[in-house]
Amino acid sequence: MTATVQNVVTSGVFELDGGSWDVDNNVWVIGDDREVFVIDAAHDADVIADVVGERTLRAIVCTHAHNDHVNAAPALAERTGAPILLHPDDRVLWDLTHPERAPDGELADGQVLTIAGTDLTVLHTPGHAPGAVCLYAKDLGVVFTGDTLFHGGPGATGRSYSDYPTIVRSIREKLFALPESTRVNTGHGESTTLAAEKENVTG
């Protein structure tokens, strides 16, 4: 039995560089009826915990550390005992939101996380944020891209700690190396495929 994927949309505020924006975030829950990962604990720990239910939450995996993707992570971790995993290059952003609470473990390029018999390969994809990662589930034909790649093209690079040439290189070298049919589950908005986004990535 392979893992299944559930989507929960939570709402809140993204804050960076002195600005704030109302946002809806995709929270992804992947696993089976016994154990799950949560990808990006955004805004509302109670809502996410309700979806997890009686299942064991093995880890809270952060695609990056912008506040709208991690603001509910410590509360969810406290409630469930699950560790928070983050790429170390995003610690600078994490500390803007949670200076009093460090992540519990580090993500690394090429690392494999396994849940419910399904492997997720960590792909370090800097650009939107220095420690941004995507998570590729080959068995499911799915990649979870956080804010690296959206329906419509690359994630935003107009704010601190981001860089457009870097995000384009990450997408071309790491994501476009995957099968074109791979479904892209994003951090905001609707899902897409790698094939559909190839014409939307320029530079």
Side-chain angles (χ1 to χ4, degrees), residues 156-179:
T157 54
R159 302 186 185 98
S160 295
Y161 309 107
S162 64
D163 181 72
Y164 185 76
T166 301
I167 201 171
V168 169
R169 185 166 61 249
S170 292
I171 292 168
R172 291 192 184 283
E173 294 180 358
K174 297 291 181 67
L175 298 183
F176 288 168
L178 305 176

Side-chain angles (χ1 to χ4, degrees), residues 41-114:
H43 305 304
D44 196 326
D46 291 340
V47 167
I48 300 167
D50 285 346
V51 174
V52 171
E54 297 301 312
R55 298 176 291 182
T56 300
L57 180 53
R58 296 293 182 195
I60 300 163
V61 187
C62 307
T63 63
H64 63 296
H66 283 147
N67 76 292
D68 58 316
H69 290 258
V70 301
N71 50 11
L76 187 62
E78 183 175 354
R79 181 166 174 164
T80 61
I84 300 169
L85 307 180
L86 177 74
H87 192 285
D89 288 357
D90 248 30
R91 185 64 188 272
V92 61
L93 286 166
W94 172 273
D95 288 346
L96 295 176
T97 303
H98 301 300
E100 75 297 335
R101 203 285 192 202
D104 301 295
E106 296 185 348
L107 298 172
D109 188 57
Q111 179 182 358
V112 176
L113 307 173
T114 303

Side-chain angles (χ1 to χ4, degrees), residues 29-43:
V29 181
I30 177 171
D32 59 15
D33 58 3
R34 296 173 294 110
E35 61 177 12
V36 295
F37 288 152
V38 164
I39 300 173
D40 288 348
H43 305 304

